Amino acid sequence: MAEVVVQADRRSEGILINDDWPGYRLDLFNYPAHYSGDLDCVIIPHGVIMDRTERLARNIMDDLGDHDIVVLCVLKGGYQFCADLVERIKALSRNSNHTIPMRVHFIRLRSYLNDQSTEDLHILGAEDLSFLAGKNVLIVEGIVGTGKTMETLLKHVEAFRPKMIKVAGLLVKRVQHSLACVPDYVGFEIPNRFVVGYALDYNEYFRDLNHICVISESVCFLAFNDNHCRCWAPVVTLLNYTDGLRDPATMEV
């Protein structure tokens, strides 16, 4: 059986957003009125996301054209990026001599903890990935922080002996103690700030926001669950949750 090759040569460098970048004023963009007061700024407008996604699709076509691939979409935060990326690969494939037959499989990462990171990661939908044997795999993730989650996922996927693994990440956060697990295709490299939108959430809010925004540090949320009201602490206390956006009660990605 062929040896697993984990590609880590960064085919596409991400667009760098500096730490001192103030973002765009909210009044320059349309966004849902129910988020008024909850956001600090727009850090990446939707149109820029779309243009960057098309560029990544072209890079993937250059690398994987004419090769069957299995796309592993990491839910929930990666679903919008994955959908747009796959759509653009399909569009390029229709208008090119290079074609990429694709199948898409969805997985979800979940870990249960309260206030510290854990290696006890549950990968839902990945119990049997035997169909990956000998295949080219493209993992699509919305955001990568310390890299611990991605490292665990890569080890799990490697166990099923795919031919090759590549990773596309829309966002990579600059965080302390990050691992060398960097996606091959990076959309944007961003500061260590709590971002939402474009399917990235805080406690299931903001997934319907088209732009990627920095959440207001002073906002508090009231979450209703089974007729129980839970008041969340200010978001500033959650800035250490850097390896994806997770519900602080269950640490669910």
Side-chain angles (χ1 to χ4, degrees):
M1 187 173 294
E3 183 178 355
V4 177
V5 178
V6 179
Q7 297 288 346
D9 57 355
R10 296 193 68 175
R11 168 67 178 82
S12 178
E13 296 288 340
I15 294 176
L16 178 66
I17 299 178
N18 293 325
D19 289 341
D20 58 356
W21 167 239
Y24 298 98
R25 297 197 323 265
L26 292 169
D27 62 344
L28 297 175
F29 299 90
N30 290 320
Y31 64 96
H34 51 266
Y35 293 140
S36 178
D38 296 339
L39 304 170
D40 181 58
C41 65
V42 174
I43 191 170
I44 310 175
H46 183 258
V48 177
I49 299 171
M50 293 297 95
D51 283 354
R52 183 61 182 151
T53 300
E54 183 172 357
R55 177 70 262 180
L56 294 180
R58 290 181 181 274
N59 292 343
I60 293 170
M61 282 287 293
D62 290 342
D63 290 347
L64 299 178
D66 297 326
H67 292 278
D68 291 12
I69 64 172
V70 178
V71 177
L72 287 184
C73 175
V74 180
L75 299 175
K76 296 179 184 177
Y79 84 82
Q80 190 64 64
F81 174 50
C82 183
D84 288 334
L85 182 64
V86 168
E87 187 60 35
R88 277 149 183 77
I89 292 174
K90 288 164 54 180
L92 291 171
S93 182
R94 289 193 298 266
N95 297 284
S96 171
N97 293 328
H98 296 282
T99 60
I100 299 184
M102 288 184 295
R103 60 183 293 187
V104 181
H105 186 77
F106 299 93
I107 59 176
R108 189 171 177 183
L109 309 180
R110 178 183 294 170
S111 57
Y112 295 93
L113 75 166
N114 292 317
D115 58 1
Q116 59 185 2
S117 60
T118 179
E119 296 181 359
D120 186 20
L121 184 71
H122 299 269
I123 307 176
L124 307 181
E127 294 81 3
D128 182 12
L129 296 178
S130 57
F131 61 88
L132 297 181
K135 298 292 195 305
N136 296 306
V137 177
L138 177 66
I139 299 174
V140 180
E141 172 66 288
I143 187 168
V144 177
T146 63
K148 292 180 181 178
T149 300
M150 185 56 64
E151 182 182 54
T152 301
L153 177 59
L154 282 170
K155 289 180 180 178
H156 184 79
V157 173
E158 288 172 24
F160 294 95
R161 308 301 294 174
K163 179 181 179 182
M164 179 178 64
I165 305 173
K166 287 203 172 190
V167 179
L170 177 63
L171 304 178
V172 172
K173 278 190 177 183
R174 290 190 298 277
V175 299
Q176 292 182 340
H177 311 300
S178 61
L179 304 177
C181 184
V182 179
D184 304 278
Y185 307 99
V186 178
F188 304 88
E189 182 181 314
I190 65 172
N192 186 17
R193 304 180 71 183
F194 202 108
V195 295
V196 292
Y198 195 65
L200 301 174
D201 79 305
Y202 170 62
N203 195 32
E204 295 300 328
Y205 292 94
F206 302 106
R207 294 196 194 275
D208 56 338
L209 184 63
N210 286 336
H211 313 294
I212 294 178
C213 299
V214 176
I215 199 169
S216 173
E217 294 183 357
S218 61
V219 68
C220 288
F221 292 98
L222 289 177
F224 294 90
N225 183 15
D226 296 331
N227 296 322
H228 290 85
C229 177
R230 297 181 294 176
C231 184
W232 299 105
V235 177
V236 68
T237 65
L238 304 176
L239 292 177
N240 289 328
Y241 294 101
T242 56
D243 199 16
L245 300 177
R246 307 182 182 186
D247 180 333
T250 62
M251 289 302 290
E252 179 179 334
V253 178

